[in-house]
Amino acid sequence: MKSKHFCCIVSAYSPTIRLPKVLLLLSLAIGFIPLKSAAGPLEAPASATNSASAMFTVQDIYNRIVLGTPGALRQGSFVEPSAGPTNGTGRTLNEIMNALPSATNAAVAATAADVPAGLKFWSLSATGWGLQIGTAQVQLNKIHSDVVTGISATNVTLGKRLPTAAGGTGIIVGQFSVSGISGAGVTDKNGSSMTVVQAQNGEVRFTIPPGTGINRYTLSISNQIISPVSYLPSQSNGLFLAYDAPVVTAVSGCIDNGPATVECDFTGNSIILIQGKNFGTNSSEVSVTVGGIPATFLSFRTNDTVIRVRPAPAPAGGYDLPVIVTVAGVTSSPAPLVSYAGPTVISNTVNLGPSYNPSGTTFKIYGSGLDLGGTPGNFRFGPPGNTFDQMPYEATVVSTGVDASGPYYLVNLPTGGAGSGLVCIAHVGLQYSRPSGTYSYDAMSAPYQLRPAGPIVGPETDVYGSSVNGCQEIDFNALNAGNRADLLKAFLVSSDVPPSIVQCSEVSVISFDASGTTIRCKTPAGVGGTAYHLKLVVFSTSSQFGAYAYVYPVGPGVTSISGCNDSGNTTTCETEGGTVLSLTGTNFAQPFAVMVGGVLCRDIALLSSTQAQCIVPPGTGQSLPVVVQSAGNLSQLFNGFSYVSPVIDGLQGAVTVSNKVFNISRTNGAILTISGSNFGASGARVLVGGAIVTNVVHDTEFPHRKLTFQCPPRLSPPFYELPVVVISAGGSFSSNVGTLSYE
């Protein structure tokens, strides 16, 4: 304090400066301090007649501290008081000091992180004393100042459901204060009150009654709803717990067969009982479908575990149809337990004979319901697991009759079938029978007379292929392979352990007669020098291996490359290309070609069966494959070629010092230039501070050596010494960097 300022503060009491006693004593004491260090400006701020000379009183300062009142300065000229100060007027320094708060520890003092963002406050923290602005992000969707953060139940683990019959104890947790059970309330989705069994700060427990589906619960404290926080896996108007989903375990009521029921009336006259659990007790919440068609709910036979329904008419019938029970919006897993009465084919084992039979194969089918109004149904045959429409072979009904085994249909399968373990499906009206029976053609022979595409010439021998890359047409024969090329698969299998298995493509049937089936296909790519034996497959039926092999030729191979920056058997070249690449390998022959990273080399020179040269094409990337094509055969990949990574020599911009650019506008997008080498002809990318830059342009005259790019805007830190990196189109990063700094 400076005595001059105190005099001015109290001057409003009297032009002759009447001080309260304590201030007068303090003023006298301070007066002994040298004026150079104790006094402020000694000249008056203005004349007594000028309002600019007015100052707040000590009482004004005290009221500001205690009450927050703004105080008021004198307006106009100074007016002499009519009387001196009386007892009780004015304030002592002790009173002012006692009214001021002191700094306290961080545990009880508010900081910026405790106060909503943008609000001003005076912090009492010893490390952050004074006027501050809050930074805390607060929830704005709360109905109450408290918040709920979660819900669980005592008798389930995370992610599980509540048993419908047992219910349980629900636990709602959060940040709230509650004074006992009477202060807390929990309601469900229907507004029904739950029984609160325990309530304490941050946790309320309540009894969950038996139920179904999904229930929403709402917590209230002192009749005010407590909202859940926004990150909860729930909705903003409540917390959710799910009861166990319904489970179907058995169906009965028609002709029962274990847990399933069969031969139900497809006209809608059957009543079935569905057994399981978690069906609840409220019929309005239960719905059932059988085969995807809604059924009529009739009643609970036993609450929660057995329900009684009437399936709707199902003209198409069906077997092993799924039963699905939905309770309060939660569905059971499909249970394939209902089959309708319909056509039935009696299971039988029939040998269908050879594939080639000019008159087809005729045999009997026994069953029931196999006609509609005297018109026989349709019969198809094929592998298990297929629908009627997917069955490849269709029989023709020749006649009907009755023998010792019962009524039958005499059917004929036309020539050309193949395979074993086939089943039959009957289609009568809108209904289909269950697949049944075992129908098999004679066993398929091993392929024979393997040869290049064309007629048989001389005795059978191994076939030596023309290319390891495949696409060579081969012919072969087989007995009992049928005439359906779409059903035939041909595989070449090596004798290696484990074997290499490749599948032929474009299978076709050239001829089909008593001598068998002549089949043509194209070979896939294989391993040079390896012998593969042929095998046929129809459905799941496989032939034996053919006696003779298809042998892939030994193709060319690359063992080393050199010519640029060599390292062992590999080399690294400039991205502009143009250097001579030398190749060492095996089985080099005309016509001859070399590709580096999938790009054809130019000026290829075949020096010998083991040596060749070419000019490196431009490119980018690391560990690229070098492949040679020799006499129509491709070599295996030799991943030994790389292009040099980008190198930054210079970075030019607004203010540049030693590859460092300064004073870039944070918003205007300045154009910068990077000079160096091995950027590639196109497609380079630039990173500034780890962020990808757009509008990177290769120089038209020197694309591998110069790039320009538009500097991205930068609205948040960091702003200084950001690294600039070039990435080539092949994914190589520059080995050195420049830096960029914004304003």
Side-chain angles (χ1 to χ4, degrees):
M1 291 289 183
K2 300 176 181 178
S3 58
K4 176 72 174 179
H5 289 178
F6 270 103
C7 291
C8 293
I9 288 173
V10 298
S11 63
Y13 285 106
S14 170
T16 57
I17 311 178
R18 295 188 180 98
L19 292 172
K21 293 179 181 180
V22 64
L23 293 183
L24 179 59
L25 293 174
L26 181 61
S27 177
L28 293 174
I30 294 175
F32 288 99
I33 302 173
L35 291 178
K36 183 176 181 180
S37 60
L42 299 180
E43 64 276 6
S47 66
T49 59
N50 192 324
S51 61
S53 67
M55 290 189 178
F56 290 109
T57 67
V58 172
Q59 187 67 45
D60 287 333
I61 296 173
Y62 182 85
N63 290 342
R64 169 71 67 85
I65 296 169
V66 176
L67 304 176
T69 53
L73 291 171
R74 166 178 56 82
Q75 301 295 320
S77 300
F78 174 78
V79 177
E80 181 74 26
S82 58
T86 60
N87 188 32
T89 62
R91 295 289 177 179
T92 67
L93 289 180
N94 283 350
E95 287 178 306
I96 294 176
M97 181 61 78
N98 291 336
L100 289 169
S102 60
T104 185
N105 61 62
V108 296
T111 65
D114 302 316
V115 177
L119 299 184
K120 294 182 178 180
F121 73 103
W122 190 280
S123 175
L124 301 183
S125 171
T127 58
W129 174 272
L131 185 64
Q132 307 280 343
I133 298 178
T135 60
Q137 301 299 315
V138 297
Q139 300 282 342
L140 300 180
N141 61 341
K142 298 176 183 176
I143 302 174
H144 189 272
S145 60
D146 298 325
V147 67
V148 168
T149 59
I151 189 168
S152 62
T154 56
N155 59 337
V156 295
T157 57
L158 186 63
K160 301 294 184 181
R161 294 175 178 267
L162 291 164
T164 54
T169 299
I171 307 170
I172 297 178
V173 296
Q175 301 169 10
F176 50 79
S177 299
V178 59
S179 57
I181 293 176
S182 61
V186 178
T187 56
D188 66 4
K189 64 183 178 182
N190 299 316
S192 301
S193 295
M194 304 292 100
T195 300
V196 176
V197 296
Q198 182 179 333
Q200 59 188 31
N201 292 343
E203 180 179 296
V204 171
R205 296 187 175 222
F206 62 99
T207 300
I208 303 174
T212 55
I214 300 175
N215 211 333
R216 184 184 71 243
Y217 298 93
T218 302
L219 173 66
S220 299
I221 294 178
S222 300
N223 296 320
Q224 288 186 298
I225 296 175
I226 310 300
S227 295
V229 294
S230 59
Y231 61 79
L232 276 177
S234 60
Q235 305 203 8
S236 60
N237 61 342
L239 298 166
F240 291 81
L241 285 175
Y243 290 92
D244 276 340
V247 176
V248 176
T249 57
V251 178
S252 61
C254 301
I255 298 176
D256 300 334
N257 183 16
T261 192
V262 299
E263 299 296 318
C264 292
D265 183 359
F266 60 81
T267 64
N269 290 321
S270 296
I271 294 176
I272 60 175
L273 296 178
I274 301 174
Q275 303 170 48
K277 60 182 180 178
N278 305 323
F279 299 154
T281 58
N282 186 347
S283 60
S284 65
E285 294 183 334
V286 180
S287 62
V288 178
T289 61
V290 176
I293 302 175
T296 302
F297 179 88
L298 299 177
S299 64
F300 285 100
R301 173 61 64 87
T302 303
N303 281 347
D304 197 54
T305 61
V306 181
I307 54 179
R308 188 168 166 266
V309 303
R310 184 195 306 277
Y319 51 88
D320 298 337
L321 298 177
V323 175
I324 298 177
V325 176
T326 301
V327 181
V330 179
T331 61
S332 67
S333 297
L337 298 176
V338 171
S339 297
Y340 288 104
T344 300
V345 173
I346 296 175
S347 181
N348 199 3
T349 299
V350 178
N351 186 346
L352 299 174
S355 291
Y356 182 77
N357 187 339
S359 60
T361 304
T362 301
F363 56 97
K364 295 177 180 179
I365 294 178
Y366 296 88
S368 61
L370 298 178
D371 62 18
L372 184 66
T375 302
N378 299 319
F379 302 92
R380 288 188 182 180
F381 299 80
N386 284 1
T387 66
F388 179 85
D389 292 333
Q390 293 170 333
M391 292 295 184
Y393 307 131
E394 183 166 2
T396 301
V397 176
V398 177
S399 63
T400 62
V402 179
D403 62 16
S405 298
Y408 65 82
Y409 287 86
L410 189 67
V411 300
N412 178 267
L413 273 175
T415 188
S420 61
L422 307 181
V423 295
C424 174
I425 298 179
H427 180 204
V428 181
L430 297 176
Q431 299 184 353
Y432 299 89
S433 69
R434 186 189 300 270
S436 66
T438 302
Y439 302 83
S440 301
Y441 287 92
D442 289 349
M444 187 164 44
S445 72
Y448 61 94
Q449 290 296 341
L450 176 65
R451 60 196 182 275
I456 298 173
V457 179
E460 184 178 10
T461 62
D462 289 341
V463 174
Y464 288 87
S466 60
S467 172
V468 294
N469 307 311
C471 294
Q472 179 181 0
E473 287 188 334
I474 57 174
D475 287 354
F476 54 91
N477 289 54
L479 293 173
N480 298 314
N483 64 355
R484 293 281 298 270
D486 58 318
L487 304 179
L488 286 169
K489 295 180 181 179
F491 295 90
L492 291 173
V493 183
S494 74
S495 56
D496 301 331
V497 179
S500 171
I501 303 175
V502 290
Q503 184 175 353
C504 294
S505 62
E506 300 182 28
V507 177
S508 60
V509 172
I510 303 301
S511 64
F512 176 64
D513 53 30
S515 65
T517 307
T518 300
I519 302 165
R520 177 173 294 171
C521 68
K522 284 187 177 180
T523 60
V527 178
T530 302
Y532 289 77
H533 287 264
L534 194 63
K535 180 174 75 170
L536 278 176
V537 176
V538 177
F539 307 130
S540 59
T541 304
S542 298
S543 72
Q544 298 296 315
F545 289 108
Y548 292 89
Y550 180 88
V551 183
Y552 283 94
V554 178
V558 177
T559 57
S560 68
I561 56 175
S562 62
C564 300
N565 298 316
D566 301 334
S567 176
N569 295 330
T570 66
T571 193
T572 302
C573 299
E574 299 288 320
T575 61
E576 296 184 59
T579 55
V580 176
L581 180 68
S582 297
L583 300 93
T584 300
T586 57
N587 298 315
F588 291 176
Q590 294 288 7
F592 188 78
V594 181
M595 288 174 285
V596 174
V599 180
L600 192 67
C601 285
R602 60 183 177 87
D603 299 338
I604 298 171
L606 180 60
L607 306 179
S608 70
S609 63
T610 60
Q611 299 289 328
Q613 289 182 337
C614 68
I615 301 300
V616 173
T620 60
Q622 304 288 314
S623 299
L624 301 176
V626 176
V627 177
V628 301
Q629 185 176 36
S630 173
N633 294 313
L634 293 176
S635 67
Q636 298 294 308
L637 302 182
F638 180 82
N639 297 316
F641 184 90
S642 296
Y643 287 99
V644 178
S645 297
V647 176
I648 297 177
D649 292 333
L651 183 63
Q652 294 83 41
V655 178
T656 306
V657 179
S658 300
N659 288 350
K660 297 183 177 182
V661 179
F662 299 91
N663 296 334
I664 296 296
S665 170
R666 297 184 185 181
T667 58
N668 290 341
I671 303 297
L672 303 182
T673 300
I674 302 176
S675 59
S677 59
N678 298 302
F679 298 153
S682 63
R685 293 170 292 170
V686 175
L687 300 182
V688 174
I692 295 179
V693 173
T694 58
N695 301 319
V696 178
V697 179
H698 289 253
D699 186 77
T700 55
E701 185 176 2
F702 303 105
H704 295 267
R705 306 180 190 180
K706 183 181 291 186
L707 304 172
T708 58
F709 68 93
Q710 187 172 22
C711 195
R714 191 90 178 184
L715 303 180
S716 60
F719 297 109
Y720 310 111
E721 299 287 330
L722 303 177
V724 178
V725 178
V726 174
I727 308 174
S728 71
S732 300
F733 286 70
S734 57
S735 55
N736 57 336
V737 300
T739 63
L740 181 153
S741 296
Y742 289 86
E743 296 174 336

